[in-house]
Amino acid sequence: MTQRLAIVGAGPSGLAAAKAALEYGVEPIVFDAAPSLGGLWRRKGGYTWHDMRTNLSKWTCAFSDYPWPDTADEFPLGSAVESYLQGYASAFGVDRKVECGTKVESVVPSGNKWLVKTSQAAAPLEVDGVCVAGGTFARPAIPALDGIDQFKGVVLHSCDFKEAAPFKNKRVAVVGASFSGIEIASHLATHGVEVVILFEKAPWILPRYAPLGDGSETTMPLDLLLYRRSPAGTATPEPSLEDRYRRAAQRFEAAFGNPGAVHSALRVAVDETPPFYAISDLFLPHVKNREILPIRERVKSLYDAGIVTEGDQRLPVDAIVFCTGYGVDFSFLDPAVRKALAYDPSDNFVSHIAHRTVMRPELQNLSLVGLYRGPFFGIIELQARWAAALLAGAVPRPSAATAQAGMEREIAIRCQRPRPQFPHGEYVAFADEIAGELGIFPVAASSGEMNIAVRQGPVVPAHYRLVGPHAKVELAESQIRSACSRAGFK
């Protein structure tokens, strides 16, 4: 009898989980409370804004066997990502498995099965497995500040920001300087809005393009430079975490300069603390032109006309956009399941404890996909493929010792102070670990040329379709050559 998998969420994670389930002969049923698929990338009701572009190139912001067309922008608009996801779902028959407008109200274990109660059915649905793929953007986080009820201006979270027009002739405070904060501040300033941005830790401001390194003025997408495998076979010892942090900061400063050269509040220390970064081509020019005022202070409270900082500055503003992150929502899971996952709704960094953030041995056939707090479709897809393979019995389950070590690793990340920007910031290493579980680590590439490209060139999701189950060698090699060519890698 065909196994059935209930998938919560029809964004990139849920769609990848459904496609992987079909590959392994499992019948997926995808539920999403929204009226259409796409998750945060939906034009209507999603979390994108006008003119928003991806900060990863089309070679990285893609699934392994569904490349963007050659004519696509190198950094696609958010609206194009929604179309990409719709095309992906249609191409692999996933769209026929999605039930939009259907909220999952409860997920309860029942023997070796699971009972899933939705808003559209009177009785729970019995399934063989459940995949939680609602993403890390489920709960917008706005800090509980004194005076927030007294402020007479507009308050919104970045998820509700759509365009600059409503803020014309207003002074807007952007709170937070991660990816969305830097980009929303830039978008507002580009449209003539006066902006002040407040933050505690200054990020490195990286452009979308980096020098090719051949002495010319030619550039390549930044992700094709940053995401490479470490050279194998070197005799040098593995650097400490602090050394890696310092070296990353040194590379950023050497390649792109210190933002403090533009404004003193933006100066980043080159030291052994975790470096934070944001990607923007417009932010620093706007700061230089005094169209964005950076203030390196936390918000202490609000008053009727604006913000009070921790340094007791009173900043009159007409509107506040909180770019203060998101939390995971597991409220629909049975309390015993939440407890087993060590779910902490107040921890927006490590929300739960699971091996490779995907599974726990005691929660048989419950998987979590796309909750590793990173933007990479490649890892989302690898987690989806591993979860489907585990449910189908196509790969062995990790031993108790291996799973325990993986969970202890997550606990250590949760306890790390100071915290880095991402729990699993070593994208390539984390992706390769999951690929190893599936037997698709791309070391046995089909030719000497391709082997060199895989080992030394930019790492893109297509690497994980070269070998093993469900390989698509010709398609993968084409995408790898395309990425290598764009990166100037011979």
Side-chain angles (χ1 to χ4, degrees), residues 16-169:
K19 194 257 191 178
L22 291 171
E23 285 182 324
Y24 281 98
V26 173
E27 180 67 19
I29 311 164
V30 186
F31 301 108
D32 199 302
S36 60
L37 61 81
L40 68 92
W41 296 103
R42 291 180 295 117
R43 291 179 184 88
K44 295 182 178 180
Y47 293 172
T48 63
W49 58 85
H50 181 65
D51 290 344
M52 173 183 167
R53 289 191 180 274
T54 63
N55 49 44
L56 297 175
S57 73
K58 64 181 180 180
W59 289 275
T60 303
C61 189
F63 293 120
S64 62
D65 56 353
Y66 192 72
W68 286 83
D70 292 339
T71 55
D73 292 343
E74 289 195 324
F75 291 90
L77 288 167
S79 56
V81 178
E82 182 191 42
S83 297
Y84 172 87
L85 293 172
Q86 290 171 340
Y88 174 81
S90 177
F92 297 108
V94 170
D95 54 345
R96 298 190 296 273
K97 309 297 181 181
V98 178
E99 296 187 15
C100 289
T102 304
K103 181 181 179 180
V104 172
E105 297 177 339
S106 68
V107 171
V108 179
S110 178
N112 62 350
K113 302 284 187 179
W114 293 84
L115 299 178
V116 179
K117 178 71 174 65
T118 73
S119 60
Q120 300 298 318
L125 175 70
E126 184 179 80
V127 294
D128 301 285
V130 172
C131 175
V132 178
T136 57
F137 296 87
R139 292 186 300 106
I142 293 181
L145 295 169
D146 289 341
I148 196 166
D149 295 332
Q150 281 72 50
F151 178 61
K152 294 180 179 179
V154 175
V155 174
L156 70 158
H157 189 272
S158 59
C159 69
D160 296 315
F161 179 83
K162 299 303 174 189
E163 58 179 341
F167 303 97
K168 185 177 181 181
N169 300 322

Side-chain angles (χ1 to χ4, degrees), residues 49 151 153-158 160-174 184-185 187-189 191-195 317-322:
W49 58 85
F151 178 61
V154 175
V155 174
L156 70 158
H157 189 272
S158 59
D160 296 315
F161 179 83
K162 299 303 174 189
E163 58 179 341
F167 303 97
K168 185 177 181 181
N169 300 322
K170 296 182 185 295
R171 190 182 198 218
V172 178
V174 174
I184 287 175
H187 177 86
L188 287 166
H191 290 82
V193 178
E194 182 183 358
V195 180
V317 295
D318 303 296
I320 304 171
V321 183
F322 283 100

Side-chain angles (χ1 to χ4, degrees), residues 171-390:
R171 190 182 198 218
V172 178
V174 174
V175 179
S178 191
F179 291 91
S180 61
I182 293 294
E183 285 286 71
I184 287 175
S186 301
H187 177 86
L188 287 166
T190 298
H191 290 82
V193 178
E194 182 183 358
V195 180
V196 55
I197 183 168
L198 298 100
F199 51 90
E200 182 179 10
K201 183 179 177 70
W204 295 97
I205 309 296
L206 310 184
R208 284 177 170 80
Y209 289 93
L212 203 60
D214 59 357
S216 71
E217 295 184 359
T218 309
T219 60
M220 70 174 118
L222 179 66
D223 51 326
L224 299 186
L225 171 67
L226 293 183
Y227 304 121
R228 308 281 179 103
R229 290 190 171 86
S230 300
T234 58
T236 56
E238 180 73 16
S240 68
L241 189 63
E242 291 76 16
D243 282 342
R244 295 204 299 272
Y245 289 157
R246 186 178 61 255
R247 292 177 189 180
Q250 289 170 341
R251 288 196 301 271
F252 291 157
E253 186 168 56
F256 307 111
N258 198 303
V262 176
H263 193 287
S264 59
L266 294 172
R267 180 157 297 280
V268 185
V270 180
D271 57 18
E272 298 178 350
T273 60
F276 283 58
Y277 69 93
I279 295 176
S280 177
D281 303 309
L282 301 175
F283 181 78
L284 290 178
H286 282 308
V287 173
K288 187 174 182 178
N289 293 334
R290 299 184 179 182
E291 294 154 344
I292 297 175
L293 173 63
I295 297 179
R296 195 169 185 158
E297 289 192 53
R298 295 180 64 180
V299 176
K300 181 171 73 173
S301 62
L302 305 186
Y303 68 105
D304 60 347
I307 283 172
V308 180
T309 72
E310 286 202 331
D312 287 329
Q313 287 192 68
R314 294 174 74 85
L315 301 173
V317 295
D318 303 296
I320 304 171
V321 183
F322 283 100
C323 301
T324 43
Y326 299 82
V328 171
D329 182 14
F330 287 170
S331 61
F332 56 88
L333 291 176
D334 183 75
V337 175
R338 296 200 300 267
K339 182 178 181 180
L341 288 167
Y343 171 55
D344 182 353
S346 69
D347 192 336
N348 294 340
F349 186 67
V350 177
S351 60
H352 68 286
I353 302 298
H355 179 40
R356 305 205 196 286
T357 78
V358 174
M359 57 82 66
R360 289 190 68 106
E362 68 268 39
L363 297 173
Q364 195 79 0
N365 294 339
L366 176 79
S367 60
L368 305 104
V369 167
L371 298 175
Y372 74 105
R373 301 207 73 85
F376 306 105
F377 280 24
I379 288 179
I380 289 171
E381 185 182 26
L382 285 165
Q383 290 186 329
R385 293 171 71 182
W386 186 38
L390 287 170

